[in-house]
Amino acid sequence: AKQFGSNTLQFYRDSLQSSSRERLLLEAQLDKALVRGELEVFYQPKLNFAANRLQGAEALVRWRHPERGLVSPAQFIPLAEETGQIDAIGDFVLHQACAQARAWQQAGIAELRVAVNISMGQLRQGDFVERVGAVLVSTGLPAHLLELELTESQLSDDVEHLAKVFTRLRTLGVRLAIDDFGTGYSSLGYLKHLPVNVVKIDQTFIRSLDGSDHGGDAAITRAIIVMAHSLGLEVVAEGVEEPAQLEFLREHGCDEIQGYLISRPVEAATLASLLREQAAQ
Ligand code: C2E
Ligand code: CA
Ligand code: CA
Ligand code: CA
C-alpha cells in the first residue's frame, strides 16, 4: 500500500486548522470527490486465532485526490462529520463494502465479514436502520456478514435511544462492534445496556504489549479480554505491529487481531489475492 505524502497531510492539517475560507474550499472539493468517484474503499483483514484464517476485514475510506494523491480519512472525516457530508460518504462506503463482500462470497473467494465505520451523525438519521436494510437487500449480502463499528467516545449521549437503534440493527441480523474501546470514560457501564457483539481494544493499549507491562497496558488489555468474554462478547485487538504483541494477545485469549503485522489496509484486488492464497492452502 502507498504511504500518504507528508505534504498532503500537512496541507490538510493546515486547511482544517486555518481560515473558514479554506474549509469551505475543502468542503466543496469533497462534494466533487463523491460525484467524480474519487473516494475509494480500502480493506484491512483481521486474523481469527481459532480458525487461523482471515475471516473479516475493516472497510477504510480513502480520497484519491487528483493533485494530492491518497488522502487519509483522518484529514476529511472530521470535517465531513461537521458539514453533514458524512451521510453521503457513509452511504457510499456502506454500499461499496457490502457489494464487495457479496462479490467475494459469490466468486467463492471467501465468506468474509466486512466491518464498516459508522459516525454518530449517521446513526441519528431517523431512517438509518432502514438504510442498512436496503443496502443488504440491494447487494444481496447476508446480514451476518456485515458488522458496524461505532467509536466508544461517540456513545456517551442518550444510551436509551442508542439501545433501541442497536436492538433494531441486531434484529436485522447485523453485528455491532465498539471501536477504540478503553479510551472513553464509561467503558463498562453501557455494555450492559447495549446489545453489541464485539469490542475492539484501542491501539494505544496494544502498542506497548511485549509481555513486560511497564505502563499497565498489558494489565488493562488482559482485563478487557476477561471482562468482554464474561459478557459473552468477542474481542478484537487493532494496531498489532509486532510478533510479541500477537503472541501476548493469542496467549490471553483475544479472538481476532488486526494491524500492519497481518496487512496494511489495501485495495480490494490486493485483499482478494491474499484471500485466494489462503483458500489454496
Ligand atoms: P479506526 O476506525 O480506529 O481505524 C483504524 C485505523 O488504524 C486506520 O487508519 C488503520 O489504517 C490504522 N491502523 C491499522 N493497523 C494499524 C497498525 O498496525 N498500526 C498503526 N499505527 N495504525 C494502524 P485510517 O484508515 O487512516 O482511518 C482513520 C480513522 O478514520 C478510522 O479510525 C475511522 O475512525 C475513520 N474512518 C475511516 N474510514 C471511515 C468511514 O468509512 N467512515 C467513518 N465514519 N470513519 C472512517
Ligand atoms: Ca474502526
Ligand atoms: Ca479503532
Ligand atoms: Ca480511531
Side-chain angles (χ1 to χ4, degrees):
K2 296 187 198 82
Q3 281 292 356
F4 302 116
S6 55
N7 289 341
T8 307
L9 291 180
Q10 198 50 49
F11 170 79
Y12 283 98
R13 217 171 271 142
D14 290 347
S15 329
L16 285 170
Q17 281 167 6
S18 54
S19 72
S20 53
R21 211 176 114 251
E22 280 165 320
R23 290 171 54 97
L24 282 176
L25 185 71
L26 191 60
E27 186 182 341
Q29 287 191 345
L30 194 50
D31 272 336
K32 292 204 191 100
L34 256 174
V35 177
R36 291 178 181 162
E38 291 169 12
L39 295 187
E40 205 173 306
V41 180
F42 275 39
Y43 298 88
Q44 186 178 37
K46 302 178 195 176
L47 173 73
N48 184 289
F49 280 131
N52 195 26
R53 294 183 97 68
L54 307 179
Q55 283 193 332
E58 178 174 7
L60 293 157
V61 70
R62 269 97 182 90
W63 180 359
R64 213 178 271 283
H65 194 289
E67 291 118 43
R68 307 190 183 279
L70 216 48
V71 179
S72 153
Q75 308 304 313
F76 62 92
I77 291 289
L79 176 73
E81 286 175 338
E82 278 178 44
T83 60
Q85 289 166 307
I86 192 66
D87 288 359
I89 295 173
D91 280 350
F92 165 76
V93 175
L94 181 65
H95 190 277
Q96 195 68 24
C98 290
Q100 187 60 72
R102 174 63 172 156
W104 282 326
Q105 185 194 31
Q106 277 188 310
I109 294 175
E111 286 263 330
L112 202 77
R113 184 184 293 150
V114 71
V116 177
N117 292 288
I118 302 295
S119 292
M120 207 53 208
Q122 294 175 265
L123 211 65
R124 286 209 195 89
Q125 298 165 332
D127 62 349
F128 179 70
V129 181
E130 286 77 10
R131 282 177 189 232
V132 173
V135 169
L136 291 171
V137 169
S138 75
T139 60
L141 185 73
H144 73 273
L145 293 182
L146 174 63
E147 190 166 281
L148 303 179
E149 295 192 4
L150 295 129
T151 302
E152 186 189 30
S153 58
Q154 297 186 311
L155 300 180
S156 47
D157 46 307
D158 204 349
V159 174
E160 248 171 75
H161 173 69
L162 276 179
K164 278 185 198 140
V165 177
F166 278 28
T167 302
R168 293 178 56 217
L169 287 167
R170 289 293 303 278
T171 304
L172 269 186
V174 308
R175 292 160 47 93
L176 299 173
I178 303 297
D179 204 354
D180 299 351
F181 189 80
T183 57
Y185 293 106
S186 52
S187 299
L188 306 171
Y190 65 73
L191 280 183
K192 246 182 11 186
H193 303 289
L194 294 176
V196 303
N197 306 83
V198 178
V199 299
K200 290 187 80 173
I201 307 177
D202 192 67
Q203 5 188 322
T204 52
F205 298 108
I206 307 306
R207 211 156 287 154
S208 69
L209 287 188
D210 58 0
S212 60
D213 197 14
H214 301 297
D217 288 342
I220 292 170
T221 299
R222 280 198 307 267
I224 292 176
I225 293 170
V226 169
M227 179 213 61
H229 282 167
S230 71
L231 290 169
L233 307 178
E234 290 166 38
V235 185
V236 178
E238 63 180 359
V240 178
E241 296 181 355
E242 308 288 338
Q245 297 163 344
L246 176 149
E247 280 316 320
F248 179 93
L249 291 160
R250 191 210 302 272
E251 267 170 38
H252 290 91
C254 182
D255 301 291
E256 293 193 346
I257 59 167
Q258 179 184 346
Y260 295 169
L261 181 65
I262 310 301
S263 165
R264 289 188 172 249
V266 292
E267 291 171 52
T270 308
L271 180 54
S273 341
L274 280 177
L275 294 169
R276 277 199 208 92
E277 274 171 38
Q278 168 172 277
Q281 279 165 11

